[in-house]
Amino acid sequence: MALFDFLEKERTVAGAGFNRWLVPPAALAIHLCIGMAYGFSVFWLPLSKALGIKESIACAADIGLLERILSSSCDWQISMLGWMYTMFFVFLGLSAWLFGGWLEHAGPRKAGVVSALCWCGGLVISALGVYQHQIWLMWLGSGVIGGIGLGLGYISPVSTLIKWFPDRRGMATGMAIMGFGGGAVIGAPLADKLMKYFATASSVGVWQTFLVMAAIYFVFMMAGALAYRVPATGWKPAGWTPPATNGNAMITTRHVHASKVWGIPQFWLVWWVLCLNVTAGIGILGMASPLLQEIFGGQLLNLPLSFNELDTAQKAQIAAIAAGFTGLLSLFNIGGRFFWASCSDYLGRKATYGIFFVLGLALYASIPSLAHSGLLPLFVIFFCVILSMYGGGFATVPAYLADLFGTQMVGAIHGRLLTAWSAAGVFGPLLIGFVREYQIAHGVPKAQAYDITMYVLAGLLVVGLICNLLVRPVADKHFMTDTELAAEKKLAHERDAAASNGAAVTSNGVTSPLAVVFGWLAVGIPLAIGIALTVQKASVLFK
């Protein structure tokens, strides 16, 4: 046997009686690690003082952009560091698109291993960048190489989970993608503790933190990748009735080739559905802290003062409250991924997205009135619901694609669709930042500068609702013929269940109970700790 043969897809085909509930924790192990991309802002403030330690060392006023990038004698601006956040999601979408087809043929195990090498290797290169004080190394390491790892890790379990859970597609993908939303609630507190541990009089402790987290993440991601199994061709859960007998025209039993989706109207409609839902939500995530502080100001401290009337100590107090608000939104982002995706198994994907847009439109349009009335509790509740639907949109869309285009190449199709996330990751923050700054520049008080923003976001949801309403079943001409499907299955190294396992093609999933318990504990305990810490931080909102 050649070295690394165990990574080949043929070696990951599950035997008879394999417990399918072992696959979700494997996916979570990877998603909880790469989900730290959401929490990378915890590094910005320390990195902005990497040389000065206590205070930032400013670059000369006349220094050019290239000199600033290559300089090792002045500290980085937070705006320069923030570009990594944009790069994460741009390269996530691009790599998911470019390598989605390869993943379908290579299998989730190989893709998971490559994801671990890229994401953790990117952290190591970033550590070198911090040590040498070269921001371009950080952009290359975590931004580009790490971003590629994000894309591969994000889509690696999608096709596999949908095939293991044809009866609960939404719930299955919701469990895994919940992990991506939850990565920050584990990683950010861990990073904070590590930076404090490694901080010295000459170091802010970031490069050491990068190395430690790279090692921890590599162990978890490799364990997850090696635990992946794919069902043999023809496998199905015992007692499950295939969708064809359910009379739902929006669920197909045929399959579209990923290379053809660019020319299918339904793909572009769903692309815009995801893009517009993400654009609205990601903008809120990016401005949640200043939004709460500037709108409610002294009310957060039971004082009749605007934000600009507060002193430095009072602003520090409301900043802590706003951090709790951001943490609360993160919890609803996580929970919404599982809740809404699971609901979509009963409501249907199209109806679930319809709820996102109709309810979201009502909530966004109500925000200015709540803000002017000082109704803080309702304001917080409305934003929590909005963020639950933001996360729910990510978790529901893989099942939406499987319903429309079939399961054979859903991972590759999902990868192509994630270019919508890349677009939204750039467009959302720029749009919302521009509208806010334009308002303030033209004399609008900060407390009212978000009104137009909310109405703009509501308008985007109207367009998203129209796109979703236009989605119809895919025309017959777009599906693969039996010959094309057979050729694709051969490329994907699929084998017949009965032939490969010598057993029936059904499984009740009742074996390996200890392995299932251990797998869920391995991912559940860190996630529970992260959620508990986030709840503790969010509790300041209710004091």
Side-chain angles (χ1 to χ4, degrees):
M1 181 181 68
L3 188 63
F4 301 130
D5 269 0
F6 66 93
L7 295 179
E8 297 302 322
K9 190 173 182 180
E10 295 94 327
R11 300 295 300 277
T12 67
V13 177
F18 174 79
N19 195 323
R20 61 177 178 166
W21 289 97
L22 287 168
V23 181
L28 273 167
I30 291 179
H31 273 234
L32 287 171
C33 295
I34 61 176
M36 179 54 189
Y38 270 138
F40 242 67
S41 58
V42 73
F43 297 117
W44 296 165
L45 188 58
L47 285 173
S48 70
K49 301 182 291 183
L51 294 178
I53 308 300
K54 294 186 178 298
E55 297 290 338
S56 297
I57 298 175
C59 295
D62 58 348
I63 191 173
L65 177 61
L66 182 60
E67 293 175 282
R68 189 182 296 272
I69 290 173
L70 297 176
S71 174
S72 59
S73 59
C74 61
D75 276 312
W76 301 312
Q77 295 173 313
I78 289 180
S79 59
M80 293 177 67
L81 294 163
W83 272 103
M84 190 180 299
Y85 188 75
T86 300
M87 293 171 74
F88 279 151
F89 300 111
V90 168
F91 281 94
L92 183 155
L94 290 175
S95 62
W97 162 32
L98 293 172
F99 300 115
W102 168 80
L103 182 151
E104 293 288 3
H105 299 157
R109 179 181 289 178
K110 186 177 290 186
V113 169
V114 174
S115 172
L117 292 171
C118 289
W119 178 241
C120 301
L123 284 172
V124 172
I125 295 172
S126 290
L128 178 62
V130 175
Y131 187 79
Q132 298 289 342
H133 202 72
Q134 294 293 307
I135 195 169
W136 67 269
L137 276 173
M138 290 185 61
W139 288 343
L140 173 66
S142 289
V144 178
I145 298 174
I148 293 170
L150 284 177
L152 284 171
Y154 191 87
I155 65 173
S156 64
V158 169
S159 179
T160 301
L161 283 169
I162 285 175
K163 289 171 183 174
W164 274 118
F165 292 87
D167 51 335
R168 305 179 195 179
R169 290 174 177 175
M171 182 207 69
T173 55
M175 281 189 291
I177 292 175
M178 175 183 71
F180 192 83
V185 304
I186 300 173
L190 174 62
D192 184 60
K193 290 184 180 297
L194 288 172
M195 286 188 291
K196 289 177 180 176
Y197 177 80
F198 288 117
T200 65
S202 60
S203 171
V204 292
V206 174
W207 70 264
Q208 300 96 323
T209 297
F210 279 163
L211 291 178
V212 171
M213 294 186 77
I216 294 171
Y217 285 161
F218 187 75
V219 171
F220 270 84
M221 292 180 74
M222 288 296 292
L226 296 179
Y228 276 147
R229 297 291 187 276
V230 297
T233 305
W235 179 91
K236 65 176 182 177
W240 174 65
T241 302
T245 63
N246 294 340
N248 189 341
M250 292 297 294
I251 301 178
T252 184
T253 56
R254 301 175 65 189
H255 308 277
V256 174
H257 197 282
S259 62
K260 293 184 177 180
V261 294
W262 298 116
I264 300 176
Q266 286 87 343
F267 174 81
W268 288 107
L269 288 170
V270 178
W271 192 97
W272 279 109
V273 162
L274 181 65
C275 183
L276 293 167
N277 189 59
V278 172
T279 296
I282 207 167
I284 294 299
L285 274 176
M287 69 177 185
S289 177
L291 180 146
L292 188 77
Q293 294 178 64
E294 292 177 353
I295 287 179
F296 288 97
Q299 184 180 336
L300 297 171
L301 302 174
N302 296 316
L303 298 173
L305 301 173
S306 69
F307 177 78
N308 290 333
E309 294 173 323
L310 298 174
D311 60 31
T312 302
Q314 290 168 334
K315 287 182 177 178
Q317 286 180 277
I318 68 168
I321 295 172
F325 177 56
T326 303
L328 189 64
L329 294 183
S330 296
L331 292 180
F332 276 82
N333 178 16
I334 298 166
R337 292 170 186 245
F338 180 74
F339 173 78
W340 287 112
S342 297
C343 287
S344 76
D345 286 331
Y346 302 96
L347 300 175
R349 324 306 168 189
K350 186 174 180 177
T352 302
Y353 267 100
I355 293 172
F356 293 164
F357 290 123
V358 173
L359 181 56
L361 170 62
L363 295 178
Y364 276 116
S366 302
I367 293 296
S369 297
L370 294 179
H372 297 163
S373 302
L375 299 174
L376 178 61
L378 275 180
F379 182 91
V380 171
I381 291 170
F382 278 25
F383 270 111
C384 287
V385 176
I386 286 170
L387 262 294
S388 78
M389 295 188 293
Y390 164 77
F394 281 117
T396 303
V397 82
Y400 204 169
L401 294 174
D403 289 352
L404 288 169
F405 303 107
T407 60
Q408 183 64 36
M409 299 197 74
V410 67
I413 296 171
H414 185 225
R416 284 158 170 76
L417 190 83
L418 289 180
T419 54
W421 189 359
S422 298
V426 175
F427 181 62
L430 286 178
L431 172 66
I432 292 169
F434 172 79
V435 172
R436 174 184 177 276
E437 290 175 9
Y438 180 86
Q439 293 281 298
I440 293 174
H442 286 74
V444 177
K446 286 185 176 180
Q448 300 172 22
Y450 296 95
D451 291 3
I452 297 298
T453 300
M454 293 301 118
Y455 295 133
V456 169
L457 296 180
L460 293 180
L461 295 185
V462 171
V463 179
L465 175 62
I466 294 171
C467 291
N468 188 56
L469 291 173
L470 291 174
V471 175
R472 296 288 186 273
V474 176
D476 287 344
K477 64 181 181 180
H478 298 300
F479 290 103
M480 286 186 275
T481 64
D482 291 342
T483 302
E484 291 170 333
L485 180 59
E488 178 55 39
K489 286 184 175 182
K490 185 176 181 181
L491 288 172
H493 309 288
E494 294 192 9
R495 294 183 296 174
D496 179 78
S500 59
N501 299 322
V505 294
T506 59
S507 170
N508 290 312
V510 295
T511 57
S512 307
L514 291 179
V516 173
V517 171
F518 178 79
W520 280 103
L521 287 176
V523 295
I525 290 174
L527 183 58
I529 292 172
I531 289 174
L533 292 173
T534 305
V535 169
Q536 184 180 20
K537 184 170 68 173
S539 65
V540 298
L541 274 170
F542 307 103
K543 290 182 179 179

